[in-house]
Amino acid sequence: MVTASRFNSTAFPDSAYAAELQRSSRNLRFTTKLEKEYMRGHLAHSRTLIRIVCVFAALLGISRAVERLSSGNFDAFILSSLAFVISVSLLLAAIAWSRSFERIYMRWAKILVPVRNSIVAITIAMVAAQGQLDVLTILPLTLIGPFFFLGLRFHIALLIGAMTILSFTISAAVFDLELPIALRASGFLVMSLVACAIAARHLEHRSRITFLETRFIAELAEHDALTGTKNRRIFDEHLLRLWRQGIEDRCTIAVLLIDIDHFKAYNDRYGHQAGDHALRRVAQHMQTFVRRPLDILARYGGEEFAAVLYGVDVEQAIKVADRIRSAVEELDIEHTGSRTSSAVTISAGVAVVQPTPERNPLGALQLADQALYEAKLR
């Protein structure tokens, strides 16, 4: 199992996945944004199973209805109940095949499945009271489905199970089902509910942890492990995407190359552990100035960072670079080995370009590198 504790979680302060892994999701619910992401993936994974189970439930209801009609049993309530169960099952199956599945399925399932289960439980109690005890074997299926086959969250499935048992118990008393049979059936249902709840809770917890681990590992693959900023591979890919988008949108792109001044001297004087700590602090402060959706900050190598700002002009880009420079200086990280200041400082090179098909994003990097070199000489 991969957990956030295996990594320097302070280097990923903005990772929602790391934060949830620290909590271990014991309450089986994430923050709103993550919960929606998890449920989308969960429903997509459960979609085929939902289709099969709903079609199977509809076929089972149809076979029961045909059996009754062929035997001349035209009990209106039972046939109406079967018709409702068949309709609900087919409706849920249709939703599972529709393009709107992930958007509307849960909304409808939370309403229709409890009602369907309650009606099935009432019908089974009524039929069993008439002497057809074989229908009691269907009862466990009404509990297993919501927990394991219909893509419902644990707490919803648990509520549906409790409603099913309550509906059956009350109906058994109303229809005068023999007390020993009613007690045995209700007791078996309660034990089945407890067993399903224990297993389902464990499975959902494991599913949620796996979801977080998978997403967190994917995040780690995009980030520099020390500073928590994006790594160079992701920066290069992002710059290329923005370059193409800039051509389409006719927007400028600003490239900032940022270097920590005299950092080798810092490591020599204070040690590499202190150097790593300083890198993290500087990176985290720089990140606060590069937060727009299309902007990116990455560790470009050693003590050098690179940033891309989308749709800004020269004045705006220089202003961001100056704010970053001032913020790092205000950290007041002691650096007696520096030839320019008693605290850690940075130098930045800024290049603002208009992407065109004839130009190359590497050219923008070269311009920023040249500007950084000139800044270092000052």
Side-chain angles (χ1 to χ4, degrees):
M1 179 190 299
V2 178
T3 62
S5 60
R6 291 192 183 184
F7 304 92
N8 176 23
S9 59
T10 60
F12 299 92
D14 296 326
S15 173
Y17 308 114
E20 288 291 349
L21 277 169
Q22 293 289 349
R23 293 198 314 129
S24 296
S25 304
R26 298 186 187 281
N27 61 354
L28 296 185
R29 188 170 183 85
F30 301 142
T31 55
T32 303
K33 184 178 178 181
L34 270 192
E35 185 66 22
K36 289 180 179 178
E37 185 182 347
Y38 169 75
M39 286 309 301
R40 281 196 301 270
H42 174 68
L43 285 177
H45 180 73
S46 305
R47 189 171 189 170
T48 300
L49 192 58
I50 293 170
R51 291 170 177 172
I52 294 171
V53 170
C54 289
V55 170
F56 175 78
L59 292 175
L60 183 62
I62 291 171
S63 67
R64 282 284 176 178
V66 170
E67 181 184 325
R68 285 195 158 268
L69 291 172
S70 61
S71 64
N73 190 333
F74 296 97
D75 186 294
F77 176 78
I78 294 176
L79 289 176
S80 298
S81 299
L82 288 172
F84 180 80
V85 169
I86 294 166
S87 300
V88 168
S89 300
L90 290 176
L91 176 58
L92 291 176
I95 292 174
W97 256 288
S98 74
R99 293 181 179 179
S100 305
F101 168 68
E102 292 178 12
R103 183 169 54 85
I104 67 173
Y105 172 78
M106 194 60 69
R107 189 187 314 160
W108 282 97
K110 286 192 295 186
I111 299 171
L112 295 176
V113 176
V115 176
R116 185 187 69 176
N117 269 29
S118 296
I119 289 177
V120 169
I122 293 168
T123 305
I124 287 174
M126 179 181 178
V127 174
Q130 295 173 357
Q132 299 178 43
L133 299 181
D134 62 304
V135 297
L136 294 175
T137 58
I138 300 174
L139 278 173
L141 296 178
T142 63
L143 299 181
I144 294 172
F147 276 112
F148 302 110
F149 299 133
L150 293 175
L152 299 172
R153 292 183 61 241
F154 170 78
H155 295 104
I156 296 173
L158 185 62
L159 178 61
I160 292 172
M163 289 177 60
T164 303
I165 294 174
L166 184 63
S167 298
F168 174 79
T169 304
I170 294 173
S171 300
V174 170
F175 295 123
D176 293 323
L177 179 63
E178 291 183 30
L179 186 59
I181 295 174
L183 289 175
R184 281 200 300 272
S186 296
F188 181 71
L189 275 178
V190 171
M191 289 188 292
S192 299
L193 179 62
V194 171
C196 286
I198 292 172
R201 194 182 194 287
H202 172 75
L203 289 174
E204 183 166 338
H205 183 261
R206 181 65 262 169
S207 169
R208 286 173 176 269
I209 293 297
T210 300
F211 162 80
L212 292 174
E213 289 174 350
T214 302
R215 298 299 195 280
F216 186 50
I217 289 171
E219 266 193 343
L220 289 177
E222 295 183 351
H223 287 75
D224 171 61
L226 177 62
T227 63
T229 60
K230 299 291 186 180
N231 58 37
R232 182 164 179 169
R233 176 181 63 84
I234 295 301
F235 175 85
D236 290 339
E237 293 173 358
H238 188 77
L239 176 58
L240 184 57
R241 283 196 299 270
L242 280 191
W243 190 267
R244 291 167 180 162
Q245 186 168 338
I247 294 172
E248 292 179 6
D249 298 343
R250 297 183 180 179
C251 276
T252 56
I253 289 177
V255 177
L256 282 62
L257 283 183
I258 302 164
D259 188 74
I260 301 179
D261 297 322
H262 312 296
F263 196 68
K264 183 180 183 303
Y266 186 94
N267 277 331
D268 291 343
R269 188 173 190 87
Y270 298 99
H272 287 280
Q273 264 194 329
D276 289 348
H277 180 65
L279 270 175
R280 281 194 293 270
R281 289 188 64 190
V282 169
Q284 288 167 12
H285 271 67
M286 288 194 296
Q287 187 69 75
T288 61
F289 297 95
V290 188
R291 301 192 69 87
R292 297 187 308 165
L294 293 179
D295 297 345
I296 186 174
L297 175 71
R299 187 182 181 191
Y300 205 62
E303 67 273 17
E304 191 173 51
F305 295 85
V308 176
L309 310 177
Y310 188 73
V312 298
D313 57 29
V314 174
E315 184 179 345
Q316 291 170 323
I318 292 175
K319 186 178 292 186
V320 171
D322 194 53
R323 289 172 64 193
I324 292 174
R325 183 196 57 76
S326 298
V328 171
E329 193 169 355
E330 288 169 7
L331 286 174
D332 199 26
I333 302 172
E334 181 184 302
H335 188 359
T336 57
S338 173
R339 297 191 299 273
T340 55
S341 173
S342 60
V344 169
T345 59
I346 63 168
S347 297
V350 179
V352 178
V353 295
Q354 176 69 58
T356 65
E358 296 77 24
R359 302 181 72 176
N360 190 303
L362 291 178
L365 281 168
Q366 289 171 353
L367 289 172
D369 190 50
Q370 179 62 34
L372 175 61
Y373 177 75
E374 292 172 2
K376 285 282 190 181
L377 293 178
R378 295 172 189 170

